[in-house]
Amino acid sequence: MQGLQPYPQALIDLKAYGNLNSVMVSRGCKFKCEFCTVHKFFPHFNVRPVSEIVDEIKASGGQYFELHADNLIADREYALELFAALKPLNIYWLAEATLNIAEYPDILEAAAESGLFYLLVGLETPSQAALDAAGKKFIRISRAKENIARLHDYKIAVDSAMIFGFDQHTEDIFEESLDFVADIQLDHCDSVILTPFPGTDLFNRYEREGRLLTRDWSKYDCSHAVFQPAHMTPAQLEQGAERFARQYHSLGRSLKRYWHRQKILAGSGSH
Ligand code: SF4
């Protein structure tokens, strides 16, 4: 990724993106989850030279950034080098990484000190069996609450979608997921229907098993059931995901999250 063109900031109305600048950091991931497109698009993990990232950030004059990486901590040595270089820039940034970041105190501390304020993680579901089957054994649901609390200790907000429709899911998964995201104190959560994007291992398996319901790609948008789920009907899957979103955003639940977030932020302002 050496010599990559800077993000075309001049062509993008940043106001439409909350004044969040974008800077590329790395592409690819060392894991190979069954439903994921990343390792199909980028079979090898590549990083950008840290000095080029720093130059681009300085030249942008911005203060808030999204650092684009499929898994920011895939190479921990590189991540530490990057965070050390970001620290003197006095910026705030968000990124995507596995929740395992909380299990490496040196990396978490360096990330926080260099401006990390919002992290997108791929928790996906409270079903450990579903994660194991999808190739995400490295995420331990039993440790999610503790790991999120560690991120909150550094005033970092945590965002993860809940994916519905894994073969291990029954209709109980929607209620279970609502309880789960409240219990682990996730700061933001979207409702997503499992989608077998063409080219993924999941698509190939459903095709072999005769479970694809449509090849209308416009329906492959994570809000339609485009395959036959194992333990519910496609309609039950769509209605359940919609119900989860409605209940998650209900006034009562939103207020609870708001007050919790205020508690976390109390005393913040360091960095
Ligand atoms: S860890 Fe995340 S980015 Fe990497 S393969 Fe799995 S789902 Fe994709």
Side-chain angles (χ1 to χ4, degrees):
M1 292 176 73
Q2 192 168 7
L4 197 76
Q5 288 295 316
Y7 220 81
Q9 310 281 16
L11 301 176
I12 296 170
D13 178 9
L14 285 188
K15 276 195 235 107
Y17 298 91
N19 285 317
L20 198 63
N21 292 260
S22 285
V23 175
M24 282 301 303
V25 170
S26 63
R27 287 184 181 135
C29 176
K30 290 176 176 171
F31 299 113
K32 304 217 177 310
C33 303
E34 187 186 31
F35 56 83
C36 186
T37 56
V38 166
H39 56 97
K40 299 295 180 180
F41 271 104
F42 306 117
H44 305 290
F45 175 70
N46 286 305
V47 297
R48 200 173 167 203
V50 168
S51 60
E52 294 188 16
I53 296 168
V54 169
D55 288 348
E56 188 175 333
I57 289 173
K58 282 183 178 166
S60 76
Q63 200 185 8
Y64 289 88
F65 293 85
E66 177 164 1
L67 301 184
H68 287 277
D70 295 308
N71 178 3
L72 190 69
I73 60 159
D75 179 335
R76 296 201 292 277
E77 289 298 310
Y78 173 83
L80 281 173
E81 184 194 340
L82 175 68
F83 301 154
L86 294 180
K87 193 174 170 184
L89 304 183
N90 205 27
I91 58 167
Y92 295 89
W93 55 271
L94 63 89
E96 279 179 55
T98 56
L99 186 56
N100 298 356
I101 188 173
E103 306 205 353
Y104 304 105
D106 55 340
I107 293 197
L108 178 57
E109 188 171 316
E113 286 180 349
S114 66
L116 173 61
F117 72 98
Y118 194 102
L119 190 71
L120 290 115
V121 300
L123 265 179
E124 331 294 21
T125 175
S127 165
Q128 187 66 53
L131 288 175
D132 292 355
K136 274 200 116 157
K137 275 192 182 151
F138 55 93
I139 294 293
R140 305 314 298 167
I141 286 301
S142 57
R143 295 213 290 271
K145 186 173 183 175
E146 183 190 339
N147 286 343
I148 289 174
R150 285 186 197 159
L151 285 151
H152 284 165
D153 285 345
Y154 286 97
K155 323 293 182 204
I156 298 165
V158 185
D159 178 334
S160 178
M162 286 291 107
I163 303 180
F164 299 110
F166 288 107
D167 284 356
Q168 294 72 17
H169 286 174
T170 64
E171 264 214 286
D172 294 338
I173 193 61
F174 306 107
E175 204 57 39
E176 196 187 326
S177 300
L178 273 174
D179 293 343
F180 174 65
V181 298
D183 179 52
I184 62 174
Q185 305 202 319
L186 209 54
D187 299 286
H188 183 79
C189 181
D190 287 314
S191 175
V192 169
I193 293 179
L194 182 66
T195 300
F197 289 108
T200 59
D201 296 333
L202 186 66
F203 182 92
N204 295 338
R205 178 162 70 83
Y206 284 168
E207 191 170 46
R208 276 197 313 276
E209 294 174 355
R211 293 171 61 189
L212 292 176
L213 299 176
T214 178
R215 284 176 184 258
D216 174 356
W217 307 128
S218 71
K219 298 264 189 294
Y220 282 61
D221 62 356
C222 299
S223 62
H224 290 90
V226 295
F227 65 97
Q228 178 60 51
H231 299 296
M232 54 187 126
T233 65
Q236 284 169 332
L237 175 54
E238 288 184 0
Q239 287 157 11
E242 210 271 325
R243 195 168 60 246
F244 174 90
R246 212 173 40 246
Q247 292 179 346
Y248 179 77
H249 292 294
S250 70
L251 187 61
R253 284 195 162 88
S254 299
L255 279 174
K256 262 194 203 157
R257 283 195 300 276
Y258 174 78
W259 289 119
H260 179 254
R261 184 88 197 114
Q262 294 310 306
K263 251 185 7 203
I264 290 170
L265 289 175
S268 71
S270 56
H271 162 62

